[in-house]
Amino acid sequence: MTPEDAPWWTRAVVYQIYPRSFQDSDGDGIGDLGGVLQRLDHLSDLGVDVLWLSPVYPSPQADNGYDISDYQDIDPLFGTLEQLDELIAELHRRGMRLVMDLVVNHTSDEHPWFVESRSSPDSPKRDWYWWRPPRHGMAVGDPGAEPTNWQAFFSGSTWELDEASGEYYLHLFDRKQPDLNWENPEVRQAVYGMMRWWLDRGVDGFRMDVINMISKDVAPDGHLHDGPPLPGSALGDGSASYLCGPRIHEFLAEMHREVFAGREDSFLTVGEMPGVTVEEAALFTDPARAEVDMVFQFEHVGLDHGTSKWDIQPLRMRDLKASFGRWQNGLADVGWNSLYWDNHDQPRAVSRFGDDSPEFRRDSATCLATLLHLHRGTPYVYQGQEFGMANYPFGTLDDFSDLESLNHYVHAVSMGADPAHVLAALRRMSRDNARTPVQWDDSPSAGFTTGTPWLAVNPDHVDWNAARQRQDPQSVLAHYRRLIALRHEEPVVAIGDFAMLLPDHPEVYAFTRSLDDVVLLVVCNLSRTLQPLAEQLPEARDADLVLGNLQGVDPAVLRPWEARVLRVR
């Protein structure tokens, strides 16, 4: 790949907005499109190329908008279609693009498609969803009569009984999020038509939520398969039947042909794919196959998990390097990486992977940013990350809003877990950590709203906010600007080859990026201790500093949480 023939998104940086928490423009305490429009200058100043907007469609909000009841409108909670059109126009005027969240593994149970499907077993849309009778030989409603033993992502069974018809419908997530049946070609055509409608409005692509779950492994007679039992549960793991199922490549190739092929504009298609392997990702992102441009994978954000995300284990740096290195190498010749530390579903990176103590918060936030942005792939900045937002200091269960967190607490305590232990895990890993309002200034509601915010503002906003950092050349925000500019300016950052160095070092993360005769050496100290540099990486001694996160440079040592990008002579 040369700079001339590299796709535009290889040198792009994407900024994710979770609209509920970004900026409120009307004082109701909930972020909205009017608020996004108010903050576009911040994004332009940061230098990002793409805005990824989490769902703003009409929704009962059972899962904060990922339960969509109308794919072709805007929820009044967030504004109007006219405001979205204005947002598209304003982004394009600034040279930025808009990527919408596409949630088509499931709909809301209040979507007209499902309402019609549920109305009668004879409904023409009955087969648009996964309806099944009880397990053979069992009566409707009996414990264990569900068609399979699968456990849902938000706990409990994936099957919900519809009393009126005596059948169950499938929902891999919440019971209010029934799964669409992609085996039905009418479903696929309806989805493709909706996608074309958005592209015609000027949208520049889609981030496709759990898109590798749309193909289920179904037997010729329509039977779905049980999964292996889960430890300590009466339910099983059904993921083998729905992660990267047998028709997933067929469906994505068809989607590309039906929606994107033949259009002159350059779009971005991102597939969020839990459980995807490097080998599968290479197929999904191979340009010759025309499926998606890049994938979101979750391997590195599972390294501190035990039996579940709530079973928190220490993160070993060697494991992180092995994971990142595997993905860099596996997609080196064909395919492309998405690079991220956190998003709306992950806790804050500086609290999870860095050090959010007062002494090291700024340095670790900029060190982590340097490490990520210098890899090969498209970096994603999650709102507030660019000025070092951290996890919220949750006190009691009442402080939480996230459905997944609350369900886990109830389930775990009912199974005999220590409530204090469960609460401690929620504090570390709850999705609410990423969803507290963005901290724009030090006012009582952090400049997010003139009303009462839907989720409490982190009290540290008095010290950690965008306004305080905007004119500070040593701030986290200023460092993000420099990192984004470096990707735009240096082709080696966008498309250069990657080579891991010191793979077994427990605290220093080092690698090179090379393109033609340009070689960058990246060294990051992910610890609180001084690290000797010259003896481990002698090539760093005479290299020229391109970008660093700390002032002053000692060629012999790396200070705690110091990161350097060096040009090797």
Side-chain angles (χ1 to χ4, degrees), residues 17-24 29-32 78 382-383 389 434-440 448 454-455:
I17 286 181
Y18 188 72
R20 175 180 282 267
S21 301
F22 188 67
Q23 177 67 57
D24 171 28
I30 296 171
D32 48 41
F78 298 121
Y382 179 66
Q383 60 184 41
M389 281 183 62
R435 299 176 180 185
T436 58
V438 172
Q439 296 160 206
W440 296 109
F448 165 70
W454 77 277
L455 195 62

Side-chain angles (χ1 to χ4, degrees), residues 418-448:
D418 178 359
H421 181 76
V422 177
L423 195 59
L426 294 191
R427 289 190 185 103
R428 291 277 302 278
M429 300 302 288
S430 173
R431 301 189 300 181
D432 279 334
N433 283 302
R435 299 176 180 185
T436 58
V438 172
Q439 296 160 206
W440 296 109
D441 59 37
D442 61 2
S443 63
S445 291
F448 165 70

Side-chain angles (χ1 to χ4, degrees), residues 64 344 392 394 399-403 405-406 429-436 454-455:
N64 286 324
H344 64 289
Y392 183 89
F394 294 100
D399 293 335
F400 292 90
S401 170
D402 175 42
L403 180 71
S405 301
L406 297 173
M429 300 302 288
S430 173
R431 301 189 300 181
D432 279 334
N433 283 302
R435 299 176 180 185
T436 58
W454 77 277
L455 195 62

